[in-house]
Amino acid sequence: MQTLSENRCFGGTQGVYSHAATTTNCDMTFGLFLPEEAQDGPVPILWYLSGLTCTHENAMTKAGAQQWAAEQGIALCFPDTSPRGEDVADDEAYDLGKGAGFYVNATQDPWARHFQMWDYVAEELPALLAENFAIDMDRQAITGHSMGGHGALTLAMSLPGRFRSVSAFSPICNPTGADWGRKQLTAYLGDDETTWARHDASLLMAETGFDGPVLVDTGTSDQFLDLLKPETLAAAAAKRRQQIQFRMQPGYDHSYFFVSSFMEDHVAFHAEALYA
């Protein structure tokens, strides 16, 4: 692992690191904020998964999460959204290939060699953090924005007992039924739609739900509402009687102005679960 930068931040340290990842067969970069409390022992961690076109840097610099994480004594991890490198497959469209990993393990060419983002986020990166930093891996929570909200919800519901809480900002809720999803799932996983279901938050909510608190915020002026399909997740949660806070925020769009406006709420929500 290589340290690319470390900066003092709200009494803690905001670092950026790279490493040769075996899951994605390329070098991966991630951001990690450690609060001051990490100097004295392991701290709980909140994962933040970013959306389409993003890298580790977007939320790290735009979400304003470090201030609230420092107040709560929580680490923040900002993984990248896809593999990177000259030999990594890509597409001319912004919503496929680099910056658009969709947090799945690709099975189709040319994506399968590098696009193993599920295993990277679920297995390899947590193991790396546990080995190298003062993080209490028994206290994990997860959140994300847009494509990252989709990833956060699907990981949380598919890995029972891993995360104490899950939240999402403007998540892609029903990728099997929307253009933000069907295109990518076909490319990465193939035409057999039965393999897509484990990556659809609304279908997972209906089938298994989440054993813990859930918070979802979406703006009523989000320009991508028809692609996000928040109503499908709300309906599945209501039918299942899932413990959930589902909020449509008046006038907010899909931007990081929206994310940063409600970041304090989300960090406090996770802190309550992490310190319960």
Side-chain angles (χ1 to χ4, degrees), residues 69-245:
E71 288 191 4
Q72 302 286 355
I74 295 172
L76 296 168
C77 185
F78 306 99
D80 202 348
T81 55
S82 78
R84 308 278 176 176
E86 292 184 1
D87 63 336
V88 174
D90 200 9
D91 190 88
E92 292 182 357
Y94 76 95
D95 58 355
L96 187 67
K98 295 178 185 178
F102 257 76
Y103 304 101
V104 304
N105 286 337
T107 59
Q108 307 298 302
D109 291 330
W111 314 106
R113 171 168 168 75
H114 296 288
F115 283 75
Q116 304 294 313
M117 287 302 294
W118 180 280
D119 282 352
Y120 177 70
V121 172
E123 303 299 336
E124 183 170 5
L125 188 53
L128 183 74
L129 297 191
E131 182 178 349
N132 291 280
F133 301 97
I135 294 174
D136 182 357
M137 303 306 285
D138 290 329
R139 291 185 292 166
Q140 299 186 60
I142 192 167
T143 188
H145 173 233
S146 193
M147 178 185 73
H150 139 80
L153 290 166
T154 55
L155 281 159
M157 286 188 278
S158 299
L159 300 172
R162 171 75 65 90
F163 303 104
R164 295 194 181 186
S165 52
V166 59
S167 73
F169 301 86
S170 303
I172 299 172
C173 297
N174 184 214
T176 64
D179 289 341
W180 266 1
R182 295 190 63 84
K183 170 185 176 180
Q184 294 82 0
L185 294 175
T186 300
Y188 295 143
L189 302 179
D191 294 327
D192 182 1
E193 296 189 18
T194 61
T195 66
W196 300 0
R198 67 187 294 259
H199 298 291
D200 187 303
S202 296
L203 297 180
L204 285 171
M205 180 63 73
E207 180 181 350
T208 64
F210 178 70
D211 185 19
V214 182
L215 170 62
V216 176
D217 276 319
T218 303
T220 61
S221 296
D222 193 308
Q223 57 271 45
F224 304 113
L225 272 178
D226 290 342
L227 297 170
L228 303 176
K229 293 185 173 292
E231 66 279 2
T232 62
L233 182 66
K239 186 174 182 180
R240 189 174 183 80
R241 299 176 181 175
Q242 168 73 46
Q243 177 187 354
I244 189 171
Q245 298 179 56

